[in-house]
Amino acid sequence: MMSVTLPTPDNDWLMSLDEPALHEALHARVEAAWYVARDVHPTLPRPRVWLDLRGKGAGQAHFTRGGLRFNPVLLRENRQAFMEDVVPHEMAHWLVFHLEGPPARPHGHEWRTVMQKLYGLPPRTTHRFDVARASPAPYCYRCGCATEHRFSARRHSLAQRGTTYHCRQCRQRLRFVAKK
């Protein structure tokens, strides 16, 4: 497997795009990443692309739907990083699934190898995007170490119905304080 660098999109050009043009650029980037992956797996099916992912996740390879899902809010706010990192990250999942099948670990050896050797990228498993607008979490919870934990409406609802959550630092149970 040989490293094939996808051309880096021009940041000024990306920033100048309106929403429909940005979505079109994302589709073109997925297509380019797919062509690179086809060098390894010539019968790799072309993934469909949706911009319907919400919350904190930037992208998702969705095998049962047959494609890749992306978060339009995080795309709009992190254009360059999205094109350079998120698209190859999800295409690597797509390729590994079709090469190895379902037992492959999501960010296991195979996926890391594809990221490094095929796309020439470090195999980072998470992004560092600001998710405040993509995943509003207005419910404030606190623990024993006074750390503020923010919950989405969904997680808050689960907590109100009895699901317990604990602080990763002090291990104490999180308690609802207020909605902000």
Side-chain angles (χ1 to χ4, degrees), residues 97-155:
F97 176 80
H98 286 89
L99 282 173
E100 304 292 328
R105 290 180 36 214
H107 296 115
H109 174 73
E110 300 86 356
W111 177 84
R112 288 191 312 270
T113 300
V114 168
M115 286 298 288
Q116 291 171 323
K117 303 225 184 223
L118 184 62
Y119 291 115
L121 295 170
R124 286 188 287 264
T125 59
T126 57
H127 63 75
R128 289 181 174 46
F129 301 151
D130 178 3
V131 297
R133 283 176 293 285
S135 180
Y139 299 93
C140 181
Y141 282 70
R142 291 213 189 268
C143 60
C145 64
T147 302
E148 183 178 284
H149 302 270
R150 305 298 297 262
F151 279 23
S152 66
R154 183 177 185 176
R155 181 165 282 186

